[in-house]
Amino acid sequence: MKPSQTAGSYSSTSGDDESLANRWGLRGKKGKSMQDNPLMSAFARLRHDLKGCPNIRSFDIPSLLHPFLQVIRSSSTSAPITSLAIVAITKFFAYNLIGKDSPRLSLAMQLLSAAITHCRFEASDSAADEIVLLRILKLMEGMLSGPGGNLLGDESVCEMMETGLSMCCQNRLSELLRRSAEISMVTMCQVIFERLKYLEIEAGEELSSLEASNKEDMAALKMDPSINGTSVASPQRTRNGDLPSSSLDHLTDAQEGSSESRSSSSFEQKSLGLEYPPTVTLNEAAQASTVVIDTKADGSIEIKPYSLPSIRELFRVLVDLLEPHDQQHTDAMRVMALRIIDVALEVAGPSLAKHPSLATLAKDDLCRHLFQLVRSDNMGLLNESLRVAGTLLATCRSSLKLQQELFLSYLVACLHPRVEIPQESGIDPALYEGVPQVPKLVKPPPSQASSGRSTPVPVKDRQKLGMEGGSRKPDAREAMVESIGALARIPSFLVELYVNYDCEVDRSDLCEDMIGLLSRNAFPDSATWSTTNVPPLCLDALLGYIQFIADRLDDKPKSVGYPDRQKLLESRGRKRIIIQGATKFNENPKAGIVYLASKGIIEDPGDAYSVARFLKGTTRISKKVLGEYLSKKSHEQLLGAFLDLFDFSGKRVDEALRELLGAFRLPGESPLIERIVTVFSEKYCANSTLEGVADKDAVFVLTYAIIMLNTDQHNPNVKSQNRMTYNDFARNLRGVNSGEDFAPGYLQEIYDSIKTNEIILPDEHNNKHAFDYAWKELLVKTRTAGELVICKTNAFDADMFSATWKPIIATLSYVFMSASDDAVFSRVVAGFDQCARITARYGLTDALDHIIFCLSSITTLATDTAPNTKLNTEIQAGGKSVMVSELAVKFGRDFKAQLATVVLFGVIAENESKIKDGWKHIVRIWLNLFVNSLIPPSFGQKQDILDVAPIPVQTASQVVDREERTSESGLFQAFTSYLSSYAADDPPEPSDEELESTLCTVDCLSACSMDAVFSNIVNMPSQSLKSLVRALLKQLPEDSSPVVIVVKPDLPSPTPANANGHRQDSGHPVYDPSIVYILEFATTIATRNDESIAAVGQDVAEVLQSVVRDAANVHPLIVSRAVFYLLHLLNTSQDHSFVRAPMILHNISGFNPATMQTSALLILKGLALCLSKPGPLKNEITNTPDFWLTMRNLRSLHEAAPSVFELFESVMIENVRTGASSVTSDNYEFVVSLLNDFATAGSIGAIIEQKRDRSARKAQSVKQSKTRIFLHYLVMLSAWDGMLDLWLNILDIMDRLLNSGQGDNLVSWRDQWTSFDRVLANITQEEAVPESLKNILLVMADGGYLVPPSENAENVHLWDETRRRLERFLPNLFSEVFPEQTKVPPAVPGIAPARAAPQPVGTTDDMS
């Protein structure tokens, strides 16, 4: 386009341009046309150029933006015009007129960034001005997040961030604009820090090269945002970390315009000096910046996209804004910076740790500022500081090992209350014994007596420094607890604390302290010094910790890449020894050294270097005690060895002395100080190249002078005008440097150092000095501390839970007892269940036992005092019955107790083999439930082991059958019932509410599935049974006291005792069913198999024998059961010597008549069990005189005589069958005596039998007819399934007819037989029994019904039983009928079954 044509086009529109310019406030120079206004001419040129452009998206972007950028940078435009220009550019991006493929987009983005960050316009009203600034923020936000954002250079990004931060920090701007600027900064910083991820992807494995390639750019690039016109850039620290005296560069304040004087409003920090197309050059300021613009061969420009330099500089500026001691920074600015940093860490936290330049800022400046800000009382600042600290540790903790320890230690010290847990009624203090009262990391306040210093720091100041927790406001405590809770939600967080701190000798026990802190603050009383939100927050954190461990139970342990577990345990054990040894050392140094040497911590207590290495290497000993110990005259060798461990090379005397006195406190006595200074002078000259000092004498004098200067400069009792000046200090040292003076510069450096920084222990520094000193020490230790191990494994869960379970279980128990919310109950129940699974999986029996103890205590069922059963009432209805008792009613009303019971037996199920001491509580529960008839007297598979009647319980005080009640109800019926009970002297009947409570108890116990628990117990490993058996036997009365309580008659009467109680005879023992329950349960367990007998048989046998020995003082029912259990145990433990038959039989033979009568049938049953098989036991019993004495005593009892004879007969028959003989020279006399007793008893009935024989002969005529009837039905009977039983009954009847002569007993069988059976009922004594049987046998043999097994194997049982029965009362008959089978013995030996089932022993009738 020619210039003339351009001028013509401009003139044709000059009128319009002029009117437009006037409307928007654009003014040309005086006397000149608006055509000369460069802003309008640029727009005219752009409009002309666009006419020939077919597609605006292909138009050159720098040319398109040029007139708008001129308006933005022009100081002659008003705010509305500037705003319009910014809106237009914003629309270009919004309407996609500018895209990633637009021509020269990279250059356009740099120009646009330079223009909006140097925006200038005439100030008008503040609202219009702030609209411009707000639109600039939105445009910058769109630029960074838009398609060309990654094309911006480092300088452009820094300038944009400067602009945004300046708006955030300008107090003269409205709150709305500052908050909008903050929001925009958050969004832009999110985009900028996200770029770190893409840079890592681009760099690949060469990530370190990214840092090296940008090192120069990072050094040159600087951001300098302003606060109200003042630079906020932090000064650079000197080499030793101190700040220079003048640290801020002051700029001119921006002045606000008025209506009379229109000044320019500027946010320009420094101009890039960019000129616009067609050429772009940089002025000197721009060339000095870090914008990298490469000119290609074709004249185009290439700009390097922003990278690590701008990100690092932005991060540095944000961190510098947090400086706590910079008075220019307000808390509002710090909060703003914290919010932005928090977003940066959330987006790129892990990436920050990968870049050394960023990681250094995070490790040093960021942590240093944060850990001071968390001590602020400003809640807004505290909340944001805690949030950023939490995010930093969550994302970068692997590089912040010691920083994390410092932060968490402060929180623990602040939050752990030193208040005892209040005792509440109904809650046993034993339930929460494991909660620590103070954390382990808190040390006693240092004693400053005799320290040589008269300026002790007040406790309040030490608290602010973080040396002590101090008191924080309730809201601050809640914020800190929330911060800990957020960290605890990281699954591996507490595991990492355990591995990295608790298992390292020089670190704090952070994991234990953290669990103790959460546990203590989960107690409800913590709300009194914090807020009501703190207890549930702490409980959530604890339950989350438990859940994380439970979720990892089934994971396969990973050990590769993690520390060795065994070494960690050894290190933890060493740590405990060192802590205990340091405690002893602080009390008595000599005793501490001896203890540590005995434990192997100090290799050789006689070696000074060995002792010195330990004393210097540990931080747990008192610095005061150490100083006094080293300065003793007898420890000169140790003092020399201690100083040999320091490296003083290259250090001035004051620097070396400062390092030395950081290890111990200088004693207060002058001779002791002189001794230390003397040795110090020698060591300093020996291992340091002397610069400025002549010899050790000069060092000695100079050291003393430094100590005096330190006291003079920092003693508050010395007035400032009286303090020593440099000249005074130098004057005192004239001529002491080997006759010469010290160099003035050397002394000046020493004087300045002591004056600005006192030599004193870190915990005695005041305010900032203390933290700075401690921080420098921390940074030094980080070089050797190593990285924090991230533990994504369950390999350490067992050891960690073993160290922390006590406060957890205590907290769960207390909360369970004190809570009232169902949701809390549900979560605590889940916590108990998870704890039980963890302890069972990892074999933590102590923890499992404690869980059982706590739950048992909550159930109220494990009381040591037996419940009162006097008023127990049995209610019958609908064919069922329930026992209403005091225990059942009370338990049914207690929901917490019921829930705890269900949880308890849920914990026990499947974990029976892991329980040790917890069994004693479970046994108490079972006993209390059993005596109140709330659980059955069975033990799962007990019936497979013991064949005995159920254990009888005491009779109910009354039995109420509610089905017999009439339909009448109401007050009159209740009154009548009460009167009738009173008249009968009975207790009142249970109310409906009591019955309902009892039913609730029954339902609760049904939900506990105790049968499954009993079944699991029977199947437990034998070694696991020992704890259960010991717990059972410990519930028995002590040997020194009677076996049972003597308070009632020997047996309860069939009629219940009166409620108000008649006076009872106390001279007889009382039946206690719980004792029988214990004995039977223990016997069941012991006689399970050979392994269980070997494990617990002896313990059970000793208890049973003690009961039998003391039979005179024990209720007969208990004795009878104990005798049977003992005989059963004797039978199953024949290979063991802990129980012997003669001793048992001797005790049984000494029973009194009452005990013998009650125990008779069970004694015979036990003896039959022992004599059922031939062997040493049978021989031992039959050769024992007491056996035959017992048999004679039992024979005299009417109900026991038949069984005695059967037992005797079975023994003799078995001997005949086997060819052995039970009659020996030792027992011959006893056998004959017993037979004589039976003969004497039989002679009494002989006269009666003779009379019956005479009448029996009259019925001989009917003999043949009766036999024919039976034989007539033989064919039909042979096909009947009950043929064998019928035939055996017939043989039994024949046996009684032949031996007793009584036939009347046959009548009792008539009602039980079928029509065929009644045929045989007519057989009377008149028939000849042998003749009848012989005829029947012959007929059955001829018919093929009774034949030898060789001929018919199906009838082998009939053959054998017939032969065995006949040999009992007609021994020659079988051989007469079947002579060829005489030599074949019977196939099934043994004791003949009882002729009638014995009445069950132990019913309530027997107890009378």
Side-chain angles (χ1 to χ4, degrees):
M1 183 179 295
K2 295 180 179 180
S4 59
Q5 293 175 338
T6 304
S9 63
Y10 287 169
S11 62
S12 63
T13 59
S14 62
D16 296 337
D17 293 341
E18 186 173 357
S19 62
L20 179 64
N22 290 333
R23 182 173 56 174
W24 291 107
L26 291 176
R27 302 184 306 277
K29 292 183 179 180
K30 186 175 180 179
K32 292 191 177 182
S33 167
M34 287 304 300
Q35 295 178 1
D36 299 328
N37 190 307
L39 301 181
M40 295 305 301
S41 63
F43 278 105
R45 186 167 66 248
L46 174 62
R47 182 169 56 186
H48 180 269
D49 293 342
L50 289 175
K51 289 181 180 179
C53 179
N55 184 3
I56 192 172
R57 290 182 174 82
S58 61
F59 194 78
D60 182 61
I61 301 303
S63 300
L64 176 65
L65 297 181
H66 171 62
F68 300 96
L69 301 184
Q70 280 191 316
V71 172
I72 293 173
R73 295 183 66 118
S74 173
S75 61
S76 62
T77 57
S78 63
I81 294 179
T82 305
S83 180
L84 282 177
I86 295 173
V87 169
I89 296 175
T90 304
K91 288 183 177 180
F92 290 161
F93 287 98
Y95 296 160
N96 202 24
L97 299 180
I98 299 177
K100 61 180 181 179
D101 298 328
S102 299
R104 296 207 296 171
L105 176 61
S106 177
L107 176 60
M109 295 297 290
Q110 315 307 316
L111 299 176
L112 178 57
S113 171
I116 60 177
T117 55
H118 299 77
C119 174
R120 304 182 66 176
F121 56 89
E122 291 183 348
S124 57
D125 62 288
S126 59
D129 295 346
E130 291 190 356
I131 289 175
V132 175
L133 302 181
L134 184 61
R135 286 177 171 167
I136 288 175
L137 287 172
K138 296 302 178 184
L139 180 56
M140 291 192 301
E141 187 177 334
M143 289 172 61
L144 276 170
S145 58
N150 57 353
L151 300 177
L152 290 168
D154 286 315
E155 182 70 23
S156 299
V157 169
C158 287
E159 288 184 342
M160 292 169 68
M161 294 300 100
E162 278 185 27
T163 303
L165 286 175
S166 298
M167 291 185 193
C168 293
C169 299
Q170 294 283 352
N171 289 331
R172 68 184 182 87
L173 300 179
S174 67
E175 180 72 14
L176 177 62
L177 180 58
R178 292 203 304 272
R179 289 302 178 92
S180 299
E182 180 181 327
I183 295 173
S184 296
M185 282 297 299
V186 168
T187 304
M188 289 187 287
C189 287
Q190 178 179 348
V191 175
I192 291 172
F193 281 96
E194 276 184 342
R195 184 162 174 77
L196 279 176
K197 301 177 183 178
Y198 300 103
L199 293 176
E200 293 173 8
I201 296 174
E202 293 174 0
E205 298 180 356
E206 299 179 357
L207 190 61
S208 58
S209 62
L210 181 65
E211 191 87 16
S213 61
N214 290 278
K215 188 174 182 179
E216 295 181 1
D217 294 340
M218 287 189 288
L221 188 64
K222 297 296 177 185
M223 284 176 58
D224 189 15
S226 62
I227 302 174
N228 298 327
T230 302
S231 171
V232 301
S234 293
Q236 299 298 314
R237 292 182 175 269
T238 60
R239 179 177 61 89
N240 59 2
D242 297 329
L243 297 175
S245 58
S246 178
S247 59
L248 298 175
D249 298 328
H250 298 284
L251 302 179
T252 57
D253 295 340
Q255 300 177 351
E256 299 186 16
S258 62
S259 57
E260 294 82 13
S261 176
R262 298 170 61 89
S263 62
S264 67
S265 176
S266 173
F267 286 90
E268 177 178 359
Q269 280 73 41
K270 43 191 174 183
S271 175
L272 292 177
L274 294 177
E275 296 193 6
Y276 298 93
T279 61
V280 177
T281 59
L282 291 175
N283 62 8
E284 294 179 359
Q287 291 173 357
S289 68
T290 57
V291 176
V292 180
I293 302 179
D294 297 331
T295 303
K296 295 184 178 181
D298 57 358
S300 60
I301 297 174
E302 180 181 357
I303 299 176
K304 182 180 179 180
Y306 75 94
S307 179
L308 194 59
S310 57
I311 298 174
R312 188 260 180 195
E313 183 63 15
L314 172 60
F315 191 50
R316 181 194 65 80
V317 171
L318 291 172
V319 170
D320 287 343
L321 281 173
L322 304 181
E323 171 62 53
H325 304 287
D326 191 335
Q327 300 300 322
Q328 294 293 328
H329 302 169
T330 64
D331 286 346
M333 296 177 192
R334 296 187 182 100
V335 169
M336 175 271 300
L338 286 169
R339 289 172 179 167
I340 298 174
I341 292 174
D342 187 53
V343 173
L345 293 174
E346 291 176 345
V347 170
S351 299
L352 291 177
K354 299 178 182 178
H355 299 277
S357 58
L358 298 174
T360 301
L361 285 173
K363 293 177 182 179
D364 187 359
D365 293 350
L366 177 58
C367 288
R368 176 162 48 85
H369 297 336
L370 276 178
F371 298 164
Q372 294 178 83
L373 293 178
V374 294
R375 296 167 173 82
S376 172
D377 293 328
N378 184 325
M379 283 305 302
L381 186 58
L382 174 63
N383 282 324
E384 293 301 330
S385 300
L386 290 171
R387 181 176 293 110
V388 173
T391 307
L392 178 65
L393 295 181
T395 56
C396 306
R397 62 185 182 280
S398 61
S399 302
L400 304 173
K401 183 174 182 178
L402 299 188
Q403 291 87 339
Q404 177 173 262
E405 181 184 18
L406 177 65
F407 175 68
L408 295 180
S409 298
Y410 172 74
L411 295 186
V412 170
C414 285
L415 294 177
H416 203 299
R418 277 69 164 178
V419 181
E420 292 186 1
I421 301 172
Q423 295 187 7
E424 294 190 13
S425 59
I427 302 181
D428 185 358
L431 294 177
Y432 49 85
E433 284 181 348
V435 179
Q437 294 298 318
V438 294
K440 290 186 175 182
L441 60 86
V442 173
K443 301 177 182 179
S447 173
Q448 295 172 333
S450 304
S451 64
R453 178 181 179 185
S454 58
T455 58
V457 179
V459 173
K460 183 178 179 181
D461 292 339
R462 291 202 302 271
Q463 293 170 353
K464 290 182 179 179
L465 301 176
M467 304 305 173
E468 296 178 9
S471 58
R472 300 302 299 264
K473 296 179 180 179
D475 291 342
R477 288 179 175 272
E478 180 179 343
M480 292 179 177
V481 169
E482 288 179 346
S483 178
I484 292 176
L487 291 172
R489 284 192 287 272
I490 303 174
S492 62
F493 179 72
L494 286 165
V495 188
E496 293 162 8
L497 294 187
Y498 175 78
V499 172
N500 292 279
Y501 303 104
D502 292 46
C503 293
E504 287 197 15
V505 174
D506 295 327
R507 305 273 70 83
S508 304
D509 289 330
L510 275 182
C511 181
E512 288 190 51
D513 285 335
M514 195 64 65
I515 295 299
L517 162 69
L518 295 174
S519 299
R520 182 62 186 90
N521 283 276
F523 280 65
D525 69 303
S526 66
T528 58
W529 57 77
S530 55
T531 67
T532 55
N533 294 327
V534 167
L537 286 172
C538 293
L539 182 61
D540 281 342
L542 276 182
L543 293 174
Y545 166 69
I546 299 169
Q547 184 173 354
F548 287 140
I549 299 178
D551 291 343
R552 295 192 292 261
L553 283 177
D554 296 328
D555 295 347
K556 184 178 180 181
K558 300 177 182 178
S559 57
V560 179
Y562 296 104
D564 182 75
R565 177 172 173 250
Q566 190 60 38
K567 291 183 179 179
L568 289 181
L569 292 176
E570 293 174 0
S571 175
R572 184 167 170 78
R574 179 182 176 87
K575 181 179 183 179
R576 286 193 292 267
I577 295 173
I578 290 177
I579 292 175
Q580 189 172 358
T583 303
K584 290 180 178 294
F585 182 90
N586 295 336
E587 297 172 354
N588 185 344
K590 185 176 181 180
I593 296 294
V594 171
Y595 173 81
L596 292 167
S598 66
K599 297 296 183 178
I601 303 300
I602 297 178
E603 297 177 359
D604 183 6
D607 182 12
Y609 286 95
S610 178
V611 177
R613 278 193 297 270
F614 170 78
L615 296 177
K616 186 177 185 296
T618 183
T619 60
R620 301 184 183 278
I621 60 176
S622 169
K623 305 294 185 183
K624 175 178 178 295
V625 175
L626 178 60
E628 294 174 351
Y629 184 70
L630 292 174
S631 60
K632 290 183 178 180
K633 186 175 182 180
S634 58
H635 298 154
E636 289 184 0
Q637 185 179 3
L638 177 61
L639 177 61
F642 188 86
L643 266 68
D644 283 340
L645 300 176
F646 291 86
D647 182 12
F648 299 138
S649 58
K651 297 177 181 178
R652 294 195 312 265
V653 174
D654 62 308
E655 294 173 343
L657 182 62
R658 188 184 298 275
E659 181 181 357
L660 176 66
L661 296 185
F664 62 87
R665 178 182 296 162
L666 201 63
E669 300 180 13
S670 178
L672 302 181
I673 296 176
E674 180 181 356
R675 188 172 295 116
I676 292 177
V677 173
T678 300
V679 177
F680 168 75
S681 303
E682 295 173 354
K683 300 298 180 181
Y684 180 83
C685 295
N687 61 13
S688 175
T689 302
L690 299 181
E691 295 181 3
V693 290
D695 51 26
K696 65 178 181 179
D697 293 334
V699 174
F700 179 89
V701 176
L702 180 59
T703 302
Y704 246 116
I706 293 172
I707 294 174
M708 295 175 61
L709 175 65
N710 186 72
T711 303
D712 175 82
Q713 293 296 313
H714 300 284
N715 191 334
N717 296 326
V718 179
K719 296 182 180 180
S720 58
Q721 62 269 23
N722 295 333
R723 297 189 187 277
M724 190 183 302
T725 64
Y726 166 72
N727 293 330
D728 297 332
F729 178 65
R731 188 183 307 113
N732 292 336
L733 294 172
R734 288 179 181 175
V736 299
N737 190 17
S738 189
E740 300 180 359
D741 294 341
F742 291 102
Y746 188 80
L747 291 181
Q748 184 69 54
E749 290 178 351
I750 294 176
Y751 180 86
D752 293 340
S753 175
I754 300 300
K755 182 178 181 179
T756 56
N757 192 2
E758 180 186 8
I759 298 179
I760 201 66
L761 288 176
D763 57 352
E764 293 183 358
H765 272 287
N766 57 4
N767 300 331
K768 187 173 182 296
H769 284 158
F771 191 88
D772 287 345
Y773 183 89
W775 191 258
K776 290 178 182 178
E777 292 295 317
L778 183 143
L779 293 180
V780 171
K781 292 178 181 177
T782 56
R783 302 169 187 168
T784 57
E787 293 284 316
L788 185 138
V789 180
I790 303 298
C791 300
K792 295 182 178 180
T793 177
N794 63 352
F796 313 107
D797 286 356
D799 302 326
M800 177 180 65
F801 194 78
S802 177
T804 58
W805 63 264
K806 289 184 179 179
I808 294 175
I809 303 304
T811 303
L812 293 180
S813 302
Y814 193 96
V815 172
F816 191 98
M817 290 292 291
S818 60
S820 58
D821 184 69
D822 290 344
V824 175
F825 280 130
S826 176
R827 294 163 62 199
V828 172
V829 166
F832 270 122
D833 179 69
Q834 290 168 344
C835 286
R837 291 197 291 116
I838 294 169
T839 55
R841 175 65 64 85
Y842 294 130
L844 305 177
T845 56
D846 291 344
L848 183 58
D849 289 338
H850 194 72
I851 292 173
I852 292 173
F853 160 70
C854 293
L855 291 173
S856 300
S857 300
I858 299 173
T859 64
T860 69
L861 297 176
T863 56
D864 293 331
T865 305
N868 183 14
T869 59
K870 291 181 179 179
L871 302 181
N872 287 10
T873 302
E874 184 178 354
I875 304 295
Q876 296 179 350
K880 298 181 180 180
S881 65
V882 63
M883 184 71 74
V884 179
S885 62
E886 180 182 334
L887 181 142
V889 172
K890 182 180 178 181
F891 182 77
R893 293 170 178 168
D894 192 341
F895 170 75
K896 291 181 181 178
Q898 296 175 49
L899 182 59
T901 304
V902 175
V903 176
L904 172 63
F905 284 95
V907 167
I908 296 171
E910 306 298 335
N911 296 326
E912 294 85 359
S913 61
K914 309 295 192 309
I915 302 173
K916 300 297 182 185
D917 294 338
W919 280 120
K920 60 184 178 183
H921 311 292
I922 304 170
V923 169
R924 283 304 316 165
I925 293 176
W926 282 335
L927 293 178
N928 291 334
L929 293 176
F930 170 72
V931 297
N932 286 278
S933 302
L934 292 173
I935 58 173
S938 59
F939 316 105
Q941 300 178 3
K942 185 265 302 187
Q943 297 298 334
D944 295 340
I945 300 174
L946 296 179
D947 183 14
V948 67
I951 303 171
V953 295
Q954 286 184 321
T955 311
S957 61
Q958 62 177 328
V959 179
V960 179
D961 190 350
R962 295 207 168 187
E963 288 185 342
E964 296 179 356
R965 299 284 182 85
T966 62
S967 59
E968 297 179 3
S969 60
L971 179 61
F972 179 76
Q973 182 187 1
F975 183 69
T976 303
S977 174
Y978 176 78
L979 288 180
S980 61
S981 299
Y982 181 79
D985 204 11
D986 290 336
E989 295 181 10
S991 64
D992 291 341
E993 188 274 337
E994 290 174 335
L995 178 59
E996 183 65 26
S997 298
T998 301
L999 294 177
C1000 289
T1001 298
V1002 173
D1003 292 340
C1004 173
L1005 296 177
S1006 298
C1008 294
S1009 302
M1010 293 193 191
D1011 288 342
V1013 174
F1014 286 128
S1015 298
N1016 293 337
I1017 289 173
V1018 174
N1019 296 319
M1020 277 199 308
S1022 298
Q1023 292 301 317
S1024 301
L1025 296 173
K1026 291 183 179 180
S1027 301
L1028 173 55
V1029 172
R1030 291 194 187 103
L1032 282 167
L1033 301 181
K1034 282 183 179 179
Q1035 297 302 319
L1036 294 171
E1038 297 289 339
D1039 293 339
S1040 59
S1041 61
V1043 180
V1044 291
I1045 303 173
V1046 182
V1047 293
K1048 297 170 70 175
D1050 66 339
L1051 282 178
S1053 59
T1055 302
N1058 293 332
N1060 52 3
H1062 297 294
R1063 181 171 298 178
Q1064 298 177 346
D1065 184 8
S1066 59
H1068 299 284
V1070 171
Y1071 172 67
D1072 186 354
S1074 63
I1075 295 179
V1076 181
Y1077 187 89
I1078 293 171
L1079 297 178
E1080 184 165 323
F1081 199 175
T1083 306
T1084 301
I1085 296 172
T1087 57
R1088 185 187 65 180
N1089 52 38
D1090 294 339
E1091 290 79 7
S1092 62
I1093 292 173
V1096 298
Q1098 183 172 358
D1099 295 336
V1100 177
E1102 290 176 356
V1103 171
L1104 292 174
Q1105 289 185 96
S1106 67
V1107 174
V1108 175
R1109 280 196 304 267
D1110 198 26
N1113 298 320
V1114 182
H1115 193 280
L1117 274 181
I1118 299 176
V1119 176
S1120 66
R1121 309 284 292 208
V1123 168
F1124 176 74
Y1125 304 149
L1126 187 56
L1127 291 173
H1128 183 82
L1129 180 60
L1130 173 65
N1131 181 58
T1132 56
S1133 58
Q1134 300 180 27
D1135 298 333
H1136 300 273
S1137 60
F1138 51 74
V1139 57
R1140 300 272 25 120
M1143 184 65 70
I1144 298 173
L1145 294 171
H1146 177 72
N1147 292 329
I1148 295 174
S1149 65
F1151 287 173
N1152 58 45
T1155 302
M1156 185 66 77
Q1157 182 177 4
T1158 305
S1159 309
L1161 295 180
L1162 283 178
I1163 292 174
L1164 290 169
K1165 187 172 184 177
L1167 290 173
L1169 191 64
C1170 295
L1171 298 172
S1172 60
K1173 296 180 181 179
L1177 178 60
K1178 181 177 180 180
N1179 297 334
E1180 186 178 25
I1181 292 175
T1182 56
N1183 288 322
T1184 301
D1186 288 320
F1187 167 71
W1188 300 105
L1189 178 58
T1190 301
M1191 294 285 282
R1192 293 187 65 184
N1193 292 338
L1194 293 174
R1195 195 240 15 111
S1196 63
L1197 302 176
H1198 176 72
E1199 67 277 5
S1203 299
V1204 172
F1205 187 81
E1206 289 179 10
L1207 178 60
F1208 178 77
E1209 186 180 30
S1210 65
V1211 173
M1212 296 305 166
I1213 293 175
E1214 178 66 20
N1215 289 335
V1216 172
R1217 187 186 66 81
T1218 58
S1221 176
S1222 296
V1223 181
T1224 64
S1225 59
D1226 295 329
N1227 62 13
Y1228 174 78
E1229 182 179 352
F1230 303 107
V1231 174
V1232 172
S1233 298
L1234 180 60
L1235 291 175
N1236 184 59
D1237 291 341
F1238 277 112
T1240 302
S1243 65
I1244 297 174
I1247 299 174
I1248 300 174
E1249 288 187 14
Q1250 290 174 4
K1251 293 179 180 179
R1252 290 180 179 177
D1253 287 343
R1254 287 193 292 269
S1255 61
R1257 296 189 185 97
K1258 299 178 181 179
Q1260 290 289 342
S1261 59
V1262 297
K1263 167 188 171 184
Q1264 299 298 328
S1265 60
K1266 303 296 183 176
T1267 304
R1268 292 193 191 99
I1269 293 172
F1270 172 76
L1271 297 176
H1272 173 74
Y1273 288 102
L1274 183 60
V1275 178
M1276 298 177 62
L1277 289 172
S1278 64
W1280 180 42
D1281 293 337
M1283 171 63 182
L1284 177 60
D1285 294 334
L1286 174 61
W1287 174 240
L1288 296 179
N1289 285 333
I1290 292 172
L1291 294 178
D1292 288 339
I1293 294 169
M1294 294 297 186
D1295 184 4
R1296 284 196 289 273
L1297 286 173
L1298 181 63
N1299 294 307
S1300 65
Q1302 298 176 359
D1304 296 337
N1305 291 335
L1306 293 174
V1307 179
S1308 63
W1309 293 88
R1310 291 176 182 171
D1311 295 334
Q1312 303 177 23
W1313 291 359
T1314 62
S1315 59
F1316 302 108
D1317 302 332
R1318 293 194 181 98
V1319 175
L1320 299 178
N1322 293 322
I1323 299 177
T1324 62
Q1325 194 176 16
E1326 288 82 2
E1327 294 184 43
V1329 175
E1331 286 289 332
S1332 298
L1333 282 177
K1334 183 176 180 180
N1335 292 335
I1336 294 174
L1337 292 174
L1338 291 173
V1339 173
M1340 293 176 68
D1342 294 339
Y1345 306 115
L1346 186 63
V1347 295
S1350 59
E1351 298 180 13
N1352 186 354
E1354 295 180 358
N1355 292 334
V1356 63
H1357 196 44
L1358 177 63
W1359 173 270
D1360 293 335
E1361 287 295 325
T1362 302
R1363 180 177 180 179
R1364 189 169 60 84
R1365 298 296 180 95
L1366 289 176
E1367 288 183 352
R1368 180 187 303 170
F1369 61 95
L1370 292 173
N1372 298 323
L1373 181 61
F1374 196 82
S1375 58
E1376 182 180 348
V1377 179
F1378 304 100
E1380 67 280 0
Q1381 296 294 329
T1382 302
K1383 298 181 180 181
V1384 180
V1388 182
I1391 300 173
R1395 295 171 187 170
Q1399 184 177 352
V1401 178
T1403 62
T1404 55
D1405 294 336
D1406 292 334
M1407 288 189 289
S1408 61

